[in-house]
Amino acid sequence: MLKQYLEVKAQCPDKILFFRLGDFYEMFNDDALTASRELDLTLTGRGVGNKERVPMCGVPFHSADTYIERLVHKGYKVAICEQMEDPKTVKGIVKRKIIKVITPGTITLENAVASKKNNYISCVCARDTSIAVALMDVTTGECLWSLCNAGAMDDVLFDIFSVYEPSELIYAHMDEYMDAVQAYLRSRLAQCAVTPFAADDAADYEAVAVRYFGAEAVEEAKGAAACIGMLLTYVGEVMQSDIGHINSLERIDNERRLVIDAASLRHLEITQNVRDGGRKGTLLSILDKTKTAMGGRLLRKWLEAPLVRMADITLRQDAVEEILSHEIMRQDLADTMDRIYDFERILTRIETGTASPKDLVALRESLAAIPQLRYILEQADADLLQRLRDRIQTHDDMYDLLCRSIKDEPGLVIRNGGVIRDGYSAELDEIRSIAANSKAYLKELEEQEKEKTGIKMKIGYTKVFGYYFEISHANTKPIPDYYVRKQTLVNAERYITPALKEFEVKVLTSQERMLELEYQLFGQLRRDIQGHIREMQQTARAIARVDCLYSLACAAHDNHYIRPGLNTKQAVQIKDGRHPIIEKFLKDELFVPNDVTLNHSSHEILVITGPNMAGKSTYMRQVAVLVLMAQTGSFIPAREASICPVDRIFTRIGASDDILSGQSTFMVEMKEVSYILSHATERSLLVLDEIGRGTSTFDGMSIARAVIEYCLKHIHALTLFATHYHELTDMADTSEKIKNYTVAVKERGKNIKFLRRIIPGGADRSYGLHVARLAGLPESLLKRADVILSELESQGAVATPVTKKESRPPADSLFTDPVLERLLSVDVSSMTPIEAISFLYSLQKEAKEGSGMN
């Protein structure tokens, strides 16, 4: 047996081999050591002579899926070796064979991958200076592709990896490029399993791609066709099953989508938060009201790749508005889609032969809800909803087949039976009847023979002779020819008949035959459904789109969002905009809304100054998130808005080292800025926060000023630029396209209160000591810092603010505004002396508080 194991193991040296022995999957040698450590299994051993013991551990075959899933999630690959013969009928060693391999990118086990997230396997291959990349989700049948220049790997290929997060990567012909890919994966996607692919003639792989997707689709993907074919070949070899359900080929098209690099997605917390990478506190968590897992996955894609064409955005907006404005429709959609399971992934398990009885019940229940969903959509006027209705088919023949074949509450696993409905198979019904009603059947057979022959007899049974008719010698009537003598007794004879012998065979093997027949019928049922998978996938994908539109409508209803207008003036105008994430998590205060105006004539670059914690970053993120929401087709939190779609959103927010690549905070910042400046266009939106703060004051200030000038002269993108270098506010004097904004602050002596309002004008100081005081630094330390600041300012170490042409109240007078208002509004001539004294006293008290004297 161990020799057989080693022969099989040689076929999969890089995989953990689950070797079937009876009711267990066993692992030996290094596999056993690894599995026992990763799965917390008891490590045992088996003697093999010469006092040697082979390490081993095992798991029950009926619960192996759980263990396989845990290993695969840790980045391991698992090979399943099954017994190919019945041990009861074989002498010696049973034949065994690897029937499938499960890898991180090809796992289809139920609950093995997140229901509302895709699980991609990727392939990269190079030709000359071009790199092709293909991504596939085997659980949904989708395949994506793209091409990039080898010199742009950092910008394109790695950005794709970061957004789609493949769990497995295969590669071919990458040569000198693979070192950079491996380094990126180690630092960013450590759990991604990497495997070289031994590729032959590229034309062969192009033919594979044509077989799955058709010549026309592959022609459009010409440069990546071989890469796509390699990925299909690898997945087919690993899964060792038909993968015809993979039939959707789509280019990662930057011309039809808003491009957001991975860093910007992370900074804006669109689908993952910056704390632990989870979805809590993300835009996705706010907008995701989807009822199906299919819709949840698609909504994530919508947010990661919004639209850029106004016609496409308008189609979505119209559909969202109709669902939002019709409460009954919205409720009916919710009730109906609540009954629809993730049958997109169920279809994959049917195609690959891993579907369970529960899967077919879920598919049946999903199909049962589709007619009602179509009926609801027939009431819709929005063009997109009508198109989706036409793509949703009811699949009546499949529904009828599942109703006739599968019990209402079948057994959980097909090997235990109890799955096929009575009446579906006459042969199965007979076997079940025999097994359940054997005594009644024998009694009926006995009565039939008595009536037919006129002979008194009875049916008996012994373990040695089986079933028989016993006829006493007293019965002298002729015995029919089809009675065969079985045994002679002193006063009777025992006979068998063909009918009795057939019954005996059936009853003695009924349980085994019943399970075998159910398994065969279930397998045939899966094959019958496989012929309709493509059409049902189209229905599933259309339902996912309806679910996304419903989700956006519900989010708009629950959060009081408005439909943003669209314009062609390359301008963004938002009145009373709110940050959709932060406003949901504020518990003890209301979110302060703010306006924004961005255009190419007078507000191309907004320089935003003000203290830390005052809300500059929140404001800028808010603008970017609202634009992204609008281009997704979502409504937004604002009082009024008009937005021109942008082609890209870039952000440079926050500070962090890249320790693994040896880059400092400042180097990371400069690389991000370099990437933005080389890729942004006049149709882009830039969010730049604290550029230059990672170096000395004058170095940083010089870089910040130069970046603004470069954007103004060469890029002309709509830009939000937050800075502590309030000296930069003088740039508005030299360009009508630059405007200064600041965060309103209410100052009471050495204490400040952030008003969260963005107002025209610039700050003339950073309030660093005030923020330090809010943070709780020791008072003695703060006093010493105040002295040092005064000394530095008197020595001219810190640049003094430049006088602005703009008319605005000085920052230190913000507190006194209410005093001035009271003085201007009071009618002194009508006051009594006592009232005048009291009024003057209250003003003096307020003035002392403002000056810090009280």
Side-chain angles (χ1 to χ4, degrees), residues 367-398:
L367 295 179
I370 290 178
Q372 177 64 19
L373 181 60
R374 273 186 59 92
Y375 173 77
I376 297 168
L377 295 177
E378 284 171 0
Q379 319 305 313
D381 294 323
D383 187 50
L384 182 54
L385 293 178
Q386 291 178 359
R387 294 184 196 178
L388 293 173
R389 176 202 62 210
D390 293 340
R391 294 181 199 171
I392 296 174
Q393 303 302 312
T394 55
H395 310 287
D396 296 333
D397 50 349
M398 289 296 96

mmCIF file of all heavy atoms in Angstrom, residues 367-398:
data_model
loop_
_atom_site.group_PDB
_atom_site.id
_atom_site.type_symbol
_atom_site.label_atom_id
_atom_site.label_comp_id
_atom_site.label_asym_id
_atom_site.label_seq_id
_atom_site.Cartn_x
_atom_site.Cartn_y
_atom_site.Cartn_z
ATOM 1 N N LEU A 367 -35.689 29.127 -9.171
ATOM 2 C CA LEU A 367 -36.461 29.152 -10.417
ATOM 3 C C LEU A 367 -37.937 29.413 -10.136
ATOM 4 O O LEU A 367 -38.622 30.043 -10.943
ATOM 5 C CB LEU A 367 -36.292 27.825 -11.164
ATOM 6 C CG LEU A 367 -34.876 27.507 -11.673
ATOM 7 C CD1 LEU A 367 -34.856 26.151 -12.377
ATOM 8 C CD2 LEU A 367 -34.365 28.598 -12.610
ATOM 9 N N ALA A 368 -38.424 28.956 -8.985
ATOM 10 C CA ALA A 368 -39.830 29.170 -8.633
ATOM 11 C C ALA A 368 -40.145 30.650 -8.445
ATOM 12 O O ALA A 368 -41.282 31.089 -8.662
ATOM 13 C CB ALA A 368 -40.170 28.393 -7.361
ATOM 14 N N ALA A 369 -39.138 31.434 -8.059
ATOM 15 C CA ALA A 369 -39.367 32.863 -7.790
ATOM 16 C C ALA A 369 -39.260 33.720 -9.050
ATOM 17 O O ALA A 369 -39.707 34.873 -9.055
ATOM 18 C CB ALA A 369 -38.357 33.356 -6.752
ATOM 19 N N ILE A 370 -38.678 33.181 -10.109
ATOM 20 C CA ILE A 370 -38.390 33.994 -11.293
ATOM 21 C C ILE A 370 -39.647 34.507 -11.995
ATOM 22 O O ILE A 370 -39.690 35.681 -12.407
ATOM 23 C CB ILE A 370 -37.473 33.219 -12.265
ATOM 24 C CG1 ILE A 370 -36.079 33.098 -11.631
ATOM 25 C CG2 ILE A 370 -37.390 33.910 -13.615
ATOM 26 C CD1 ILE A 370 -35.093 32.308 -12.459
ATOM 27 N N PRO A 371 -40.715 33.716 -12.172
ATOM 28 C CA PRO A 371 -41.911 34.270 -12.820
ATOM 29 C C PRO A 371 -42.450 35.512 -12.111
ATOM 30 O O PRO A 371 -42.875 36.477 -12.767
ATOM 31 C CB PRO A 371 -42.905 33.108 -12.770
ATOM 32 C CG PRO A 371 -42.056 31.882 -12.755
ATOM 33 C CD PRO A 371 -40.853 32.258 -11.930
ATOM 34 N N GLN A 372 -42.432 35.500 -10.777
ATOM 35 C CA GLN A 372 -42.893 36.667 -10.034
ATOM 36 C C GLN A 372 -41.971 37.860 -10.260
ATOM 37 O O GLN A 372 -42.439 39.000 -10.391
ATOM 38 C CB GLN A 372 -42.966 36.337 -8.534
ATOM 39 C CG GLN A 372 -43.372 37.500 -7.640
ATOM 40 C CD GLN A 372 -44.792 37.995 -7.920
ATOM 41 O OE1 GLN A 372 -45.591 37.283 -8.519
ATOM 42 N NE2 GLN A 372 -45.093 39.221 -7.496
ATOM 43 N N LEU A 373 -40.670 37.613 -10.337
ATOM 44 C CA LEU A 373 -39.727 38.690 -10.589
ATOM 45 C C LEU A 373 -39.970 39.303 -11.966
ATOM 46 O O LEU A 373 -39.969 40.534 -12.119
ATOM 47 C CB LEU A 373 -38.289 38.159 -10.492
ATOM 48 C CG LEU A 373 -37.169 39.182 -10.706
ATOM 49 C CD1 LEU A 373 -37.252 40.303 -9.682
ATOM 50 C CD2 LEU A 373 -35.806 38.505 -10.645
ATOM 51 N N ARG A 374 -40.200 38.468 -12.955
ATOM 52 C CA ARG A 374 -40.506 38.984 -14.295
ATOM 53 C C ARG A 374 -41.794 39.801 -14.286
ATOM 54 O O ARG A 374 -41.887 40.853 -14.932
ATOM 55 C CB ARG A 374 -40.636 37.824 -15.291
ATOM 56 C CG ARG A 374 -39.331 37.393 -15.925
ATOM 57 C CD ARG A 374 -39.581 36.350 -17.002
ATOM 58 N NE ARG A 374 -40.463 36.867 -18.044
ATOM 59 C CZ ARG A 374 -40.049 37.460 -19.155
ATOM 60 N NH1 ARG A 374 -38.753 37.621 -19.375
ATOM 61 N NH2 ARG A 374 -40.911 37.887 -20.063
ATOM 62 N N TYR A 375 -42.786 39.342 -13.541
ATOM 63 C CA TYR A 375 -44.066 40.057 -13.467
ATOM 64 C C TYR A 375 -43.865 41.449 -12.875
ATOM 65 O O TYR A 375 -44.434 42.438 -13.368
ATOM 66 C CB TYR A 375 -45.066 39.270 -12.632
ATOM 67 C CG TYR A 375 -46.346 40.017 -12.372
ATOM 68 C CD1 TYR A 375 -47.320 40.133 -13.372
ATOM 69 C CD2 TYR A 375 -46.581 40.619 -11.137
ATOM 70 C CE1 TYR A 375 -48.494 40.840 -13.139
ATOM 71 C CE2 TYR A 375 -47.743 41.329 -10.892
ATOM 72 C CZ TYR A 375 -48.705 41.437 -11.904
ATOM 73 O OH TYR A 375 -49.863 42.139 -11.674
ATOM 74 N N ILE A 376 -43.033 41.552 -11.829
ATOM 75 C CA ILE A 376 -42.769 42.856 -11.209
ATOM 76 C C ILE A 376 -42.091 43.779 -12.209
ATOM 77 O O ILE A 376 -42.448 44.962 -12.350
ATOM 78 C CB ILE A 376 -41.892 42.684 -9.953
ATOM 79 C CG1 ILE A 376 -42.635 41.855 -8.898
ATOM 80 C CG2 ILE A 376 -41.486 44.041 -9.376
ATOM 81 C CD1 ILE A 376 -41.741 41.407 -7.751
ATOM 82 N N LEU A 377 -41.115 43.252 -12.931
ATOM 83 C CA LEU A 377 -40.362 44.076 -13.878
ATOM 84 C C LEU A 377 -41.205 44.466 -15.092
ATOM 85 O O LEU A 377 -40.896 45.453 -15.771
ATOM 86 C CB LEU A 377 -39.102 43.336 -14.330
ATOM 87 C CG LEU A 377 -38.061 43.081 -13.225
ATOM 88 C CD1 LEU A 377 -36.895 42.271 -13.765
ATOM 89 C CD2 LEU A 377 -37.564 44.401 -12.638
ATOM 90 N N GLU A 378 -42.234 43.708 -15.372
ATOM 91 C CA GLU A 378 -43.139 44.077 -16.477
ATOM 92 C C GLU A 378 -43.889 45.371 -16.184
ATOM 93 O O GLU A 378 -44.387 46.033 -17.106
ATOM 94 C CB GLU A 378 -44.123 42.939 -16.755
ATOM 95 C CG GLU A 378 -43.493 41.774 -17.514
ATOM 96 C CD GLU A 378 -44.412 40.576 -17.600
ATOM 97 O OE1 GLU A 378 -45.538 40.678 -17.068
ATOM 98 O OE2 GLU A 378 -44.006 39.551 -18.166
ATOM 99 N N GLN A 379 -43.990 45.736 -14.916
ATOM 100 C CA GLN A 379 -44.660 46.982 -14.536
ATOM 101 C C GLN A 379 -43.725 48.178 -14.637
ATOM 102 O O GLN A 379 -44.148 49.322 -14.461
ATOM 103 C CB GLN A 379 -45.183 46.885 -13.086
ATOM 104 C CG GLN A 379 -45.803 45.554 -12.692
ATOM 105 C CD GLN A 379 -46.921 45.120 -13.614
ATOM 106 O OE1 GLN A 379 -47.799 45.916 -13.935
ATOM 107 N NE2 GLN A 379 -46.893 43.861 -14.041
ATOM 108 N N ALA A 380 -42.434 47.928 -14.884
ATOM 109 C CA ALA A 380 -41.440 49.005 -14.873
ATOM 110 C C ALA A 380 -41.395 49.731 -16.205
ATOM 111 O O ALA A 380 -41.580 49.138 -17.268
ATOM 112 C CB ALA A 380 -40.068 48.434 -14.548
ATOM 113 N N ASP A 381 -41.101 51.034 -16.147
ATOM 114 C CA ASP A 381 -40.973 51.854 -17.349
ATOM 115 C C ASP A 381 -39.512 52.120 -17.712
ATOM 116 O O ASP A 381 -39.214 52.404 -18.874
ATOM 117 C CB ASP A 381 -41.681 53.192 -17.141
ATOM 118 C CG ASP A 381 -43.190 53.018 -16.986
ATOM 119 O OD1 ASP A 381 -43.750 52.145 -17.669
ATOM 120 O OD2 ASP A 381 -43.787 53.749 -16.167
ATOM 121 N N ALA A 382 -38.616 52.056 -16.725
ATOM 122 C CA ALA A 382 -37.204 52.368 -16.979
ATOM 123 C C ALA A 382 -36.639 51.411 -18.029
ATOM 124 O O ALA A 382 -36.851 50.201 -17.969
ATOM 125 C CB ALA A 382 -36.394 52.277 -15.685
ATOM 126 N N ASP A 383 -35.902 51.964 -18.957
ATOM 127 C CA ASP A 383 -35.376 51.182 -20.075
ATOM 128 C C ASP A 383 -34.489 50.039 -19.606
ATOM 129 O O ASP A 383 -34.580 48.918 -20.101
ATOM 130 C CB ASP A 383 -34.595 52.111 -21.021
ATOM 131 C CG ASP A 383 -34.170 51.398 -22.291
ATOM 132 O OD1 ASP A 383 -35.028 50.765 -22.928
ATOM 133 O OD2 ASP A 383 -32.979 51.464 -22.643
ATOM 134 N N LEU A 384 -33.625 50.291 -18.638
ATOM 135 C CA LEU A 384 -32.707 49.256 -18.163
ATOM 136 C C LEU A 384 -33.468 48.110 -17.501
ATOM 137 O O LEU A 384 -33.124 46.932 -17.689
ATOM 138 C CB LEU A 384 -31.686 49.856 -17.189
ATOM 139 C CG LEU A 384 -30.625 48.893 -16.642
ATOM 140 C CD1 LEU A 384 -29.888 48.183 -17.767
ATOM 141 C CD2 LEU A 384 -29.639 49.634 -15.742
ATOM 142 N N LEU A 385 -34.495 48.423 -16.729
ATOM 143 C CA LEU A 385 -35.293 47.372 -16.091
ATOM 144 C C LEU A 385 -36.026 46.537 -17.137
ATOM 145 O O LEU A 385 -36.163 45.317 -16.983
ATOM 146 C CB LEU A 385 -36.295 48.003 -15.113
ATOM 147 C CG LEU A 385 -35.691 48.685 -13.879
ATOM 148 C CD1 LEU A 385 -36.789 49.310 -13.029
ATOM 149 C CD2 LEU A 385 -34.876 47.700 -13.043
ATOM 150 N N GLN A 386 -36.472 47.164 -18.202
ATOM 151 C CA GLN A 386 -37.139 46.410 -19.275
ATOM 152 C C GLN A 386 -36.142 45.481 -19.972
ATOM 153 O O GLN A 386 -36.463 44.343 -20.296
ATOM 154 C CB GLN A 386 -37.748 47.381 -20.287
ATOM 155 C CG GLN A 386 -38.932 48.166 -19.736
ATOM 156 C CD GLN A 386 -39.488 49.152 -20.758
ATOM 157 O OE1 GLN A 386 -38.983 49.260 -21.874
ATOM 158 N NE2 GLN A 386 -40.528 49.874 -20.375
ATOM 159 N N ARG A 387 -34.924 45.973 -20.208
ATOM 160 C CA ARG A 387 -33.899 45.136 -20.840
ATOM 161 C C ARG A 387 -33.564 43.927 -19.968
ATOM 162 O O ARG A 387 -33.422 42.808 -20.466
ATOM 163 C CB ARG A 387 -32.624 45.955 -21.084
ATOM 164 C CG ARG A 387 -32.766 47.069 -22.094
ATOM 165 C CD ARG A 387 -31.405 47.719 -22.310
ATOM 166 N NE ARG A 387 -31.509 49.012 -22.976
ATOM 167 C CZ ARG A 387 -30.464 49.790 -23.250
ATOM 168 N NH1 ARG A 387 -29.242 49.393 -22.919
ATOM 169 N NH2 ARG A 387 -30.633 50.953 -23.852
ATOM 170 N N LEU A 388 -33.432 44.169 -18.677
ATOM 171 C CA LEU A 388 -33.101 43.076 -17.760
ATOM 172 C C LEU A 388 -34.242 42.065 -17.680
ATOM 173 O O LEU A 388 -34.013 40.860 -17.594
ATOM 174 C CB LEU A 388 -32.766 43.631 -16.376
ATOM 175 C CG LEU A 388 -31.479 44.455 -16.305
ATOM 176 C CD1 LEU A 388 -31.326 45.108 -14.943
ATOM 177 C CD2 LEU A 388 -30.265 43.586 -16.613
ATOM 178 N N ARG A 389 -35.477 42.557 -17.696
ATOM 179 C CA ARG A 389 -36.636 41.648 -17.706
ATOM 180 C C ARG A 389 -36.555 40.704 -18.904
ATOM 181 O O ARG A 389 -36.807 39.506 -18.783
ATOM 182 C CB ARG A 389 -37.920 42.450 -17.751
ATOM 183 C CG ARG A 389 -39.196 41.602 -17.852
ATOM 184 C CD ARG A 389 -40.328 42.411 -18.427
ATOM 185 N NE ARG A 389 -40.030 42.863 -19.781
ATOM 186 C CZ ARG A 389 -40.486 43.985 -20.318
ATOM 187 N NH1 ARG A 389 -41.254 44.796 -19.632
ATOM 188 N NH2 ARG A 389 -40.160 44.316 -21.562
ATOM 189 N N ASP A 390 -36.175 41.226 -20.063
ATOM 190 C CA ASP A 390 -36.120 40.401 -21.269
ATOM 191 C C ASP A 390 -35.005 39.360 -21.193
ATOM 192 O O ASP A 390 -35.070 38.325 -21.860
ATOM 193 C CB ASP A 390 -35.911 41.281 -22.504
ATOM 194 C CG ASP A 390 -37.126 42.167 -22.781
ATOM 195 O OD1 ASP A 390 -38.226 41.833 -22.279
ATOM 196 O OD2 ASP A 390 -36.975 43.188 -23.482
ATOM 197 N N ARG A 391 -33.969 39.631 -20.394
ATOM 198 C CA ARG A 391 -32.860 38.670 -20.264
ATOM 199 C C ARG A 391 -33.165 37.579 -19.241
ATOM 200 O O ARG A 391 -32.463 36.569 -19.180
ATOM 201 C CB ARG A 391 -31.577 39.392 -19.833
ATOM 202 C CG ARG A 391 -31.040 40.356 -20.873
ATOM 203 C CD ARG A 391 -29.761 40.980 -20.360
ATOM 204 N NE ARG A 391 -29.430 42.208 -21.084
ATOM 205 C CZ ARG A 391 -28.451 43.038 -20.720
ATOM 206 N NH1 ARG A 391 -27.735 42.765 -19.648
ATOM 207 N NH2 ARG A 391 -28.205 44.130 -21.421
ATOM 208 N N ILE A 392 -34.171 37.805 -18.423
ATOM 209 C CA ILE A 392 -34.510 36.826 -17.374
ATOM 210 C C ILE A 392 -35.512 35.835 -17.933
ATOM 211 O O ILE A 392 -36.649 36.189 -18.256
ATOM 212 C CB ILE A 392 -35.078 37.543 -16.132
ATOM 213 C CG1 ILE A 392 -34.012 38.455 -15.505
ATOM 214 C CG2 ILE A 392 -35.576 36.528 -15.106
ATOM 215 C CD1 ILE A 392 -34.525 39.314 -14.372
ATOM 216 N N GLN A 393 -35.094 34.588 -18.059
ATOM 217 C CA GLN A 393 -35.974 33.526 -18.536
ATOM 218 C C GLN A 393 -36.488 32.706 -17.350
ATOM 219 O O GLN A 393 -35.835 32.625 -16.303
ATOM 220 C CB GLN A 393 -35.228 32.622 -19.525
ATOM 221 C CG GLN A 393 -34.644 33.365 -20.720
ATOM 222 C CD GLN A 393 -35.696 34.121 -21.510
ATOM 223 O OE1 GLN A 393 -36.742 33.559 -21.842
ATOM 224 N NE2 GLN A 393 -35.431 35.393 -21.809
ATOM 225 N N THR A 394 -37.645 32.066 -17.525
ATOM 226 C CA THR A 394 -38.241 31.313 -16.408
ATOM 227 C C THR A 394 -37.770 29.871 -16.347
ATOM 228 O O THR A 394 -37.918 29.223 -15.307
ATOM 229 C CB THR A 394 -39.773 31.341 -16.509
ATOM 230 O OG1 THR A 394 -40.161 30.848 -17.798
ATOM 231 C CG2 THR A 394 -40.304 32.751 -16.319
ATOM 232 N N HIS A 395 -37.240 29.324 -17.458
ATOM 233 C CA HIS A 395 -36.691 27.959 -17.475
ATOM 234 C C HIS A 395 -37.714 26.947 -16.939
ATOM 235 O O HIS A 395 -37.422 26.169 -16.022
ATOM 236 C CB HIS A 395 -35.393 27.901 -16.658
ATOM 237 C CG HIS A 395 -34.409 28.970 -17.034
ATOM 238 N ND1 HIS A 395 -33.679 28.945 -18.208
ATOM 239 C CD2 HIS A 395 -34.040 30.124 -16.404
ATOM 240 C CE1 HIS A 395 -32.914 30.026 -18.276
ATOM 241 N NE2 HIS A 395 -33.117 30.760 -17.202
ATOM 242 N N ASP A 396 -38.886 26.984 -17.508
ATOM 243 C CA ASP A 396 -39.988 26.138 -17.025
ATOM 244 C C ASP A 396 -39.659 24.655 -17.099
ATOM 245 O O ASP A 396 -40.046 23.887 -16.213
ATOM 246 C CB ASP A 396 -41.260 26.422 -17.831
ATOM 247 C CG ASP A 396 -41.749 27.854 -17.639
ATOM 248 O OD1 ASP A 396 -41.464 28.427 -16.573
ATOM 249 O OD2 ASP A 396 -42.403 28.384 -18.548
ATOM 250 N N ASP A 397 -38.947 24.241 -18.155
ATOM 251 C CA ASP A 397 -38.643 22.812 -18.296
ATOM 252 C C ASP A 397 -37.723 22.335 -17.182
ATOM 253 O O ASP A 397 -37.897 21.225 -16.648
ATOM 254 C CB ASP A 397 -38.023 22.532 -19.669
ATOM 255 C CG ASP A 397 -36.867 23.470 -19.991
ATOM 256 O OD1 ASP A 397 -36.672 24.463 -19.252
ATOM 257 O OD2 ASP A 397 -36.153 23.208 -20.983
ATOM 258 N N MET A 398 -36.746 23.168 -16.813
ATOM 259 C CA MET A 398 -35.844 22.791 -15.729
ATOM 260 C C MET A 398 -36.568 22.797 -14.382
ATOM 261 O O MET A 398 -36.338 21.927 -13.531
ATOM 262 C CB MET A 398 -34.650 23.751 -15.681
ATOM 263 C CG MET A 398 -33.665 23.589 -16.824
ATOM 264 S SD MET A 398 -32.832 21.964 -16.812
ATOM 265 C CE MET A 398 -33.846 21.043 -17.971
#
